[in-house]
Amino acid sequence: MKLAVIGGGWAGLAAAVQAISDGHQVSLFEMAAQLGGRARSVDCKGAEAQDLTLDNGQHILIGAYRQSLALMRQVGTEPEDLLLRLPLRLRYPDLEGLSLPSGHPVPAFARAVVAYAQWTWPERLSLLKHCAVWALKGFRCDPRVSVAQLCATLPRPVREQLIDPLCVAALNTPAAQASAAVFLRVLKDALFSGSGSSDLLLPRRPLSDLLAGPAANWLRTQGARLHLGQRVSSLVSEGARWLVDGERFDAVVLACTASEAARLVEPIAADWAQMARGLHYEPIVTVYLQSPGSRLPGPMMALHEGPQAPAQFVFDLGQIHQSDDAAGRFALVISGARAWLDQGLDATVEASLQQAQRALSTHWATPPRLLRALTEKRATFACTPGLRRPPARIASGLLAAGDYVQGPYPATLEGAVMSGNAAARDLARERSG
């Protein structure tokens, strides 16, 4: 099969690697000058014109991302070397937070909740009871229910210290607007699917080193054609095959953004294009700070979000990267940032800087200063109850891949990789059958 992959994010890279591994010819088209999609590194200027390589957002993988980790290994990287593995721990500046010990996830979670003295016994027992009920129901619920509705009967400290930060971290959507059905699926896979599944995996190297760079090298050595900085202008059906900018292919994987895919397929599948265009998006803002000599108690800390406090997490990049170059550098992450950006980026950055100064005052050796603020306005689709996501299949020989297509996960790297793998395999079966 001669396959065109349009889009070089993690979904497109997964599709291309899968197809090459199955013995097919692959041409990959990426409109940007580099691969990786939103999960990429950015060369930029920091304060005082300092040259910096920063990530386009602080991404987190978890131990349950098995297809992503397998893809990294397939293209020649070692996740164990590139990712810092930590047990799930929601430590706050003013309290230790829930921490999961090692071992089988179900008893480990129960032990963590029972041992967490910050909650009263009724609060701890309420969480365990809710989890037991969710498990008995197969971690399924009415698709019309929000996370806030699902957890309305949980005690307030449990919601604020556990449910809300997990929800915004996983779905990039506030609990009041987030899909409970998707949230439960993430909980099931992260907390209850196997030893180490809930572990946090934090990139120790620039994001482009995790997959984009190694995958590009691997694909080239395997004979794939990579067309960077080339936006596909036309996609035309020609009988059982497809013309991509006039070049004939047996099949096509559309692994570009939903809006770009909708533009290409509008003449072919108007209903699919309309559904793709109907998705709403949530932005993420990452504020990079520098404070020489400063160090947090751990590589990652949760923060209390509030009317004057936009960030939900802070990362100590010096500890994560374990390098002198990153020492004293920190990343504040503002997920679901639409309401804040409506007030303006400058106001958002200033509020997050003030929040960091207040919440982490005892940890600053020198006053933190702004290095750079990076905004991804369409970081993820809003994962709301009852959301209709576009199906992967568009037409014969034409499939979409991306974290936004129908699937079990919200907009995550694992969801993108899963869809890319599935698209390449399904097209191969379709053509061989």
Side-chain angles (χ1 to χ4, degrees):
M1 181 174 66
K2 184 182 178 184
L3 176 69
V5 177
I6 303 176
W10 282 44
L13 292 172
V17 170
Q18 180 67 50
I20 286 283
S21 300
D22 291 339
H24 305 296
Q25 301 175 32
V26 172
S27 293
L28 186 149
F29 301 85
E30 167 56 49
M31 63 189 300
Q34 65 183 112
L35 299 172
R38 293 189 299 273
R40 68 186 187 277
S41 307
V42 180
D43 292 327
C44 54
K45 294 285 187 183
E48 301 172 3
Q50 179 183 0
D51 289 329
L52 295 170
T53 297
L54 301 173
D55 289 338
N56 187 45
Q58 178 65 49
H59 285 67
I60 303 176
L61 290 79
I62 61 174
Y65 285 6
R66 292 179 177 84
Q67 292 195 32
S68 296
L69 298 175
L71 176 61
M72 292 171 63
R73 293 188 181 96
Q74 188 171 356
V75 298
T77 67
E78 290 295 336
E80 292 76 12
D81 296 334
L82 298 177
L83 299 167
L84 176 64
R85 181 181 283 266
L86 300 169
L88 177 61
R89 182 180 186 181
L90 289 175
R91 171 189 281 176
Y92 288 84
D94 56 345
L95 55 90
E96 280 299 309
L98 191 69
S99 179
L100 267 63
S102 59
H104 192 280
V106 174
F109 180 77
R111 291 200 309 271
V113 174
V114 169
Y116 188 50
Q118 294 290 339
W119 294 337
T120 65
W121 273 110
E123 290 167 349
R124 285 176 264 181
L125 292 174
S126 176
L127 175 59
L128 293 175
K129 178 182 176 181
H130 277 74
C131 289
V133 171
W134 295 338
L136 289 173
K137 293 181 178 180
F139 291 93
R140 295 183 178 89
C141 70
D142 187 332
R144 298 168 296 181
V145 172
S146 71
V147 172
Q149 292 169 326
L150 176 75
C151 301
T153 52
L154 275 171
R156 181 176 177 179
V158 177
R159 296 197 309 269
E160 291 183 346
Q161 297 173 26
L162 180 66
I163 300 299
D164 290 352
L166 286 182
C167 178
V168 77
L171 276 65
N172 192 33
T173 306
Q177 292 88 45
S179 166
V182 178
F183 180 70
L184 285 178
R185 174 58 189 263
V186 173
L187 278 187
K188 175 179 180 292
D189 288 355
L191 297 181
F192 303 104
S193 66
S195 181
S197 59
S198 66
D199 287 351
L200 301 179
L201 308 179
L202 306 180
R204 297 173 59 182
R205 298 280 300 159
L207 274 175
S208 294
D209 293 353
L210 260 62
L211 182 65
N217 294 333
W218 188 90
L219 287 168
R220 288 191 179 100
T221 63
Q222 300 297 318
R225 296 164 55 204
L226 304 185
H227 306 273
L228 302 184
Q230 181 172 333
R231 186 187 191 192
V232 172
S233 299
S234 66
L235 177 65
V236 178
S237 174
E238 186 187 58
R241 288 176 171 76
W242 294 89
L243 296 178
V244 177
D245 285 349
E247 183 178 354
R248 185 175 291 106
F249 290 91
D250 297 314
V252 176
V253 175
L254 276 180
C256 44
T257 64
S259 58
E260 187 72 2
R263 175 185 69 84
L264 290 170
V265 306
E266 179 71 42
I268 303 162
D271 290 344
W272 190 97
Q274 182 178 10
M275 189 181 301
R277 287 199 180 99
L279 295 172
H280 298 285
Y281 291 86
E282 283 287 350
I284 295 178
V285 178
T286 307
V287 180
Y288 288 96
L289 305 178
Q290 187 78 39
S291 176
S294 298
R295 181 182 175 91
L296 298 183
M300 166 185 168
M301 296 183 73
L303 298 173
H304 297 292
E305 187 180 7
Q308 304 299 321
Q312 298 95 359
F313 295 96
V314 59
F315 296 83
D316 187 333
L317 301 182
Q319 293 188 54
I320 296 171
H321 293 188
Q322 298 176 353
S323 71
D324 293 339
D325 290 343
R329 188 179 302 164
F330 304 87
L332 295 170
V333 177
I334 308 169
S335 296
R338 181 176 302 280
W340 278 99
L341 286 179
D342 286 344
Q343 303 176 36
L345 178 59
D346 290 343
T348 302
V349 171
E350 180 60 28
S352 65
L353 181 58
Q354 295 297 325
Q355 176 190 8
Q357 291 174 331
R358 292 192 307 269
L360 305 169
S361 59
T362 60
H363 303 296
W364 298 126
T366 56
R369 61 183 176 86
L370 176 66
L371 281 178
R372 186 70 180 258
L374 297 178
T375 302
E376 187 67 53
K377 292 183 178 180
R378 297 167 65 87
T380 66
F381 63 86
C383 194
T384 53
L387 176 67
R388 293 179 65 236
R389 293 158 64 175
R393 182 176 176 80
I394 303 174
S396 177
L398 177 62
L399 266 65
D403 58 16
Y404 68 91
V405 302
Q406 289 177 6
Y409 284 156
T412 60
L413 295 175
E414 181 73 355
V417 171
M418 290 172 64
S419 70
N421 287 337
R425 290 193 299 263
D426 290 348
L427 283 173
R429 281 195 294 266
E430 177 183 305
R431 285 311 186 205
S432 64

